[in-house]
Amino acid sequence: MLKLYGFAVSDYFNMVKHALLEKGVAFEEITVFPDQTPEYLAKSPMGKVPCIETEQGFLCETTVILDYLEAAYPEKPLLPADIWQQAKVRELVKVSELYIELAARRLLPALLAGAPVADSVQAEVREVLEKGLRAVNALASFSPFVCGEQQTLADIVLRYSLGVAKLAAGSVLKWDLLEGNSELKAWDERMAQNPICQQLDADMQAQFDAFLKKVNAK
């Protein structure tokens, strides 16, 4: 059986877990945190989460894992059949990752551990997030999903990227990321009603306090 390594507070872990659940793939969940021990580096060479273990070996990096799952378990696809539309889904995935999730990640030390963030960094992060949101709105159709009538990997990656960005922007920048962004806000609210999203959100909340203690114990 496929094994998924990671922890419930990680947005990248949740992207992969959500895809597995949507596709109905049986898997064993193994809770681990980012780790630089030789044992874990043998699984994930950068020591990051998530990674998966298959019959062929280990695989890391979220978008690589998502592409592997799509190819290995095609019965319930999360990509369109048309190659152009596949590329458009991956375009939104990349925009979500680079200009929403990674931009917000610069604020996580402040969000999780109360570390100071320079005004210049806050301004840079806000600028990138604003551009990222504009790009998402330019690319998404919201009809009702971001790439059309069917849920795709773009919805999954954007949902969890936006989740961490909303938390970080609200806590550190005192900025409601979705204010004045009615279509994206409505989509986000629809996604929040997805039973898988609700399950993963509950798992995250259940683990959050223990995760904060682990972060602040370092």
Side-chain angles (χ1 to χ4, degrees):
M1 183 185 293
L2 185 148
K3 296 180 181 178
L4 172 62
Y5 293 78
F7 62 104
V9 181
S10 164
D11 54 341
Y12 283 117
F13 172 83
N14 285 327
M15 292 173 196
V16 173
K17 185 175 178 180
H18 189 129
L20 285 166
L21 292 170
E22 286 284 0
K23 295 175 80 65
V25 177
F27 65 98
E28 178 184 354
E29 184 175 335
I30 300 174
T31 299
V32 297
F33 296 93
D35 195 343
Q36 294 295 309
T37 62
E39 180 183 13
Y40 189 64
L41 291 174
K43 300 177 176 68
S44 177
M46 290 298 293
K48 301 194 302 183
V49 299
C51 71
I52 61 171
E53 182 178 355
T54 74
E55 292 180 354
Q56 292 78 31
F58 293 93
L59 194 64
C60 64
E61 296 299 337
T62 299
T63 54
V64 174
I65 295 171
L66 292 174
D67 279 341
Y68 166 78
L69 295 176
E70 192 65 15
Y73 304 96
E75 294 81 7
K76 187 175 180 182
L78 290 168
L79 283 174
D82 179 79
I83 60 171
W84 172 255
Q85 294 303 322
Q86 288 180 15
K88 296 302 288 183
V89 168
R90 290 190 172 101
E91 183 181 34
L92 251 170
V93 164
K94 189 56 65 175
V95 166
S96 300
E97 182 182 18
L98 292 180
Y99 309 116
I100 304 294
E101 204 284 340
L102 286 177
R105 187 164 288 265
R106 297 180 67 188
L107 303 177
L108 288 186
L111 174 66
L112 298 175
V117 180
D119 290 345
S120 59
V121 172
Q122 293 187 40
E124 289 170 11
V125 169
R126 177 156 185 157
E127 181 181 6
V128 174
L129 285 172
E130 288 173 343
K131 290 179 178 178
L133 291 172
R134 284 201 300 270
V136 166
N137 284 320
L139 293 170
S141 65
F142 303 114
S143 56
F145 297 101
V146 290
C147 288
E149 296 180 356
Q150 302 297 321
Q151 181 177 232
T152 67
L153 293 176
D155 294 280
I156 294 172
V157 173
L158 177 59
R159 202 271 167 166
Y160 296 102
S161 296
L162 194 61
V164 71
K166 287 190 299 181
L167 282 174
S171 174
V172 182
L173 304 180
K174 310 305 179 188
W175 172 33
D176 179 354
L177 207 63
L178 299 183
E179 184 179 3
N181 203 331
S182 59
E183 285 193 305
L184 184 59
K185 184 175 182 178
W187 167 86
D188 190 50
E189 291 172 349
R190 287 194 299 273
M191 287 296 291
Q193 300 307 308
N194 180 312
I196 293 175
C197 290
Q198 292 178 341
Q199 175 187 336
L200 299 192
D201 288 352
D203 291 345
M204 181 187 72
Q205 289 300 321
Q207 196 182 80
F208 196 77
D209 287 344
F211 173 67
L212 279 183
K213 289 179 182 178
K214 185 176 181 65
V215 169
N216 290 306
K218 291 184 179 180

